Amino acid sequence: MTEEELRLLGSLCEVAAMPAADVVRSCVFKNRLPKAKVAKLDRQTYMELKRIGNNINQIAKHLNSKFEVSADRARAIDALSAKLDQIIKLLLHDR
């Protein structure tokens, strides 16, 4: 291997959190690059954001079923939910 190829293999190993032999096997025998491993912090952040989203949905459902919610509050809850969805999408696509 050239030094550039070796450097590229090292990068692939780091991103996939796999030894070089496994990366090469995946490329040669499965004809695909290994998937990037999700960082633990990203996974924890993603899970916490999903919990927050679930809480927002539960609050909105409760408010809508028990009380007449003002348009301002409904818009605020919708805005929070939309912003949370946007953050989650950015986290998932920023790998």
Side-chain angles (χ1 to χ4, degrees):
M1 294 182 118
T2 66
E3 286 194 29
E4 179 60 28
E5 291 168 337
L6 192 56
R7 195 170 23 257
L8 178 58
L9 178 59
S11 295
L12 289 172
C13 292
E14 186 177 322
V15 168
M18 295 170 60
D22 291 344
V23 171
V24 171
R25 282 187 199 100
S26 179
C27 292
V28 172
F29 298 117
K30 296 178 183 175
N31 199 26
R32 63 181 165 88
L33 293 173
K35 292 183 180 181
K37 184 176 180 183
V38 178
K40 187 175 183 178
L41 175 62
D42 284 347
R43 185 176 302 128
Q44 289 172 338
T45 303
Y46 172 77
M47 294 304 295
E48 188 60 31
L49 288 171
K50 290 298 280 183
R51 286 186 194 105
I52 292 169
N54 288 336
N55 288 341
I56 290 172
N57 289 336
Q58 289 174 3
I59 291 167
K61 184 178 179 180
H62 178 74
L63 287 175
N64 287 328
S65 68
K66 301 289 182 184
F67 307 102
E68 188 172 320
V69 179
S70 70
D72 289 341
R73 285 195 180 186
R75 278 194 297 275
I77 289 171
D78 289 343
L80 283 172
S81 185
K83 189 55 125 174
L84 186 61
D85 288 343
Q86 181 184 15
I87 291 169
I88 289 170
K89 286 177 185 173
L90 287 172
L91 272 175
L92 291 176
H93 296 295
D94 187 33
R95 291 191 193 150

